[in-house]
Amino acid sequence: MKKHTKMSMLKRILAIVIAAAVAVSILMVPDVEVSAATGKVKSVAVTNLPAKQLTLKKGKTFTLKSKVTVTGKASKKVTYKTSNKKIATVNAKGKITAKKKGTAKIYVISKADKKKKCTVTVTVGTPVTKVKLNKTKSTMTIGKKQTLKATVTPKKASSKAVVWQSSNKKVATVTSKGVVKAKKAGTVKITATAKDGSGKKASCKVTVKKVSAAKPDNPVPVTPLGIKSVKIVQDDMMEVTFTKATALTAADFNVWAKRYENADYLKKYTVSQVTTTDSITYKVYITGDMVFGKGLYIKVEVPKLKLSKECVYMEDTYNVENSVTLSYKVGATVKDIRQRLGTGYANYSISGLPAGIQYEVTTEATKRVMEFSGSPRKAGVYDSVLVYEDEIGSKYRLTIRWIIYDADNLIVCDKEEGALNTNWSSLFTPVYAYGGSGSYTYEIIRAESDSAILNNCKIVDDLDKININAKGIASGVYKIRIRVIDQKDGTKTGTGTLTFTIVDSYYIKGIVRDANGDPIEQYRYSIINKNRYAEYSNTISGVRYSTYNLSTKKYDGTFYDEGLESGTYDITISDRSGSVSQSIYNLTALPRKEGQTSTDTDLKMMFDVTLPVYKIKIEMDPNAPEEVQGFTKFTTWHDVAGSRYYNEGTKQYLPNGTYHLSCTSTVNGTKYVFYVDITVNGSNTTAYAYVKE
């Protein structure tokens, strides 16, 4: 009995010793993370932001909630990093602190696999405080669509974008633009959430019903209410015609004016009274001390009906004739051929179209545009005549010459070139040639050439061009006869006449600056020759770089245009997107001397304009993929959500505001879509281009 008790005690002591040893061994094993080799990190995400974007006021904080999806026993821990500590910082727990206005990127990086990360764009600015929808309840039938509109508060919010969601996509879906499509009967909640991470949202309850099988025996077409036409009758009165009757007073109308098509409507008239006999056509009067100016663009608005329409108060009546040449192969598809019918209300007709060609007329703001389509059936030369009369009785006649060709016939037509300055030489296509093999040889018929220009003309065979040197030739109109020979069938020949004008050269010069007074490298411009009726004068427009100064190796902001006719011009200068502009009126072009260039100091500086824009430098994000680091040859940038286009390359000139831009560029044979998020607030800044994961 005593022996058994002794053995039990020994066993207990031994057990205690073994347990203690195990405990000590456990304590001595270091606490290490499970190696990523035992699993794999699939993705890193942020769960408390709708669109990987965040807007914070200066001094405010926000803590990110991250989610790491793994397989096996890979670590789910992350680290945080900021691209710019001066704008926004982030601590080890994901707490972001806004420091100063600007944009920075916060990177959420997996500890187990640093290639797996999530990027959050942080803007220090003005967050959204409220989201409101135009509807809170709506009823739809299956198959129908409607558009919900979201309004964010305040108006100066750094980001006004929202994210749309449907609570039940089987009942109704919603696009990124708020277009709701009913799918099946039921109830669904459509929610718009502020994209800036503020958490503000608004919802609309949508009830979807089945389509009723009953149909009216004689359905009556419904004419939507709209403004059919606007016509300036006299300098203090316009006629506004609606599509159907509507009761309106003078207080319901707003009338605006601007000088140029690409400018903003800034001048507002005071509407004194309106009269109508049928509630369809209204006579709208403005006060006597404010009258409609000739040549102005006029816009009338009816805000409560959400309607507007534009017109142009034309100059005195005129008659204009013009011509244009179009060429197509038999059987080819005619598309994207558009002929502008001028501005303002017009009656029109067209005759003599080739067989197989159709047209339709569309309205774009103040413009009427005729669009051609179809496929020509028979070779030949056809003249279509377009005639229209505008709102005050001016008449315009356009002859459209259609060259329809095939391989069996060679068609040669005369050609008229524009003006060639006396100080220049230039290469021209000799005449219009169509059909046959498509390859031609050109010869000058010297016996019929104008003797004054004979020795200054030469066919450049390898370019299929004629070189004309106007130096030393008096101004005037010149004609040269050209023979065309089919290269594959010498029996197919034809002759035509090249007509051109030699004129003296005039120039306009000025400088364009940004809000800091520094020269702007690239901008948009338009020049209108005021010596002729504006609609049909030589209007030069486009995008250009300023003059490159070889001595300083910089673009000096200089606008220079030569080769102009003598006369008076109006110029409009705007930023690349056309958001802001400045106009300079009544500039008299000055004569250009032989040998002068844009950088000559004796050329008069005729204007000095400042645009309210700031210089933005675009650099590659240091966290962008290694294969694009150092890349700078970006193509033209454009607005992600709209149609505005901006400069190419690494420099932008932008007015105050928030911009989300993208461009597609090829790097070492691979196409990349680059993005930049820019907030401009009264100073130059740097933006970073990044690639979305």
Side-chain angles (χ1 to χ4, degrees), residues 82 152 179 189 250-251 282 320 353 397 411 492 501 518 599:
T82 179
V152 302
V179 180
K189 183 167 69 172
Y282 285 80
V320 174
L353 286 173
R397 179 185 176 94
I411 300 174
K492 296 177 182 176
T501 303
D518 298 322
T599 56

Side-chain angles (χ1 to χ4, degrees), residues 60-80:
K60 296 295 184 180
T61 63
F62 183 91
T63 301
L64 298 174
K65 294 181 180 180
S66 61
K67 180 181 179 181
V68 181
T69 305
V70 302
T71 60
K73 297 182 179 181
S75 173
K76 294 184 178 182
K77 293 186 177 183
V78 296
T79 60
Y80 300 90

Side-chain angles (χ1 to χ4, degrees), residues 98-141:
K99 294 294 187 180
K100 73 171 187 176
K101 286 190 176 183
T103 302
K105 296 188 185 302
I106 303 297
Y107 305 97
V108 187
I109 306 167
S110 167
K111 276 190 173 184
D113 185 354
K114 296 187 183 303
K115 292 183 179 180
K116 300 295 183 181
K117 61 183 179 180
C118 177
T119 303
V120 176
T121 301
V122 177
T123 300
V124 180
T126 305
V128 174
T129 59
K130 183 180 180 181
V131 178
K132 184 179 180 181
L133 296 182
N134 60 325
K135 294 181 180 180
T136 57
K137 293 182 180 179
S138 180
T139 301
M140 303 176 65
T141 55

Side-chain angles (χ1 to χ4, degrees), residues 314 318-320 339-350 368 370 385-391 393-398 533 535-536:
M314 301 234 187
Y318 63 94
N319 293 309
V320 174
Q339 177 59 46
R340 181 172 171 176
L341 299 183
T343 54
Y345 175 78
N347 293 312
Y348 59 88
S349 65
I350 188 169
R368 303 297 189 277
M370 180 173 286
V385 179
L386 168 64
V387 179
Y388 82 81
E389 183 176 339
D390 71 22
E391 60 189 33
S394 298
K395 296 179 180 179
Y396 178 51
R397 179 185 176 94
L398 174 68
Y533 180 67
E535 178 69 24
Y536 306 105

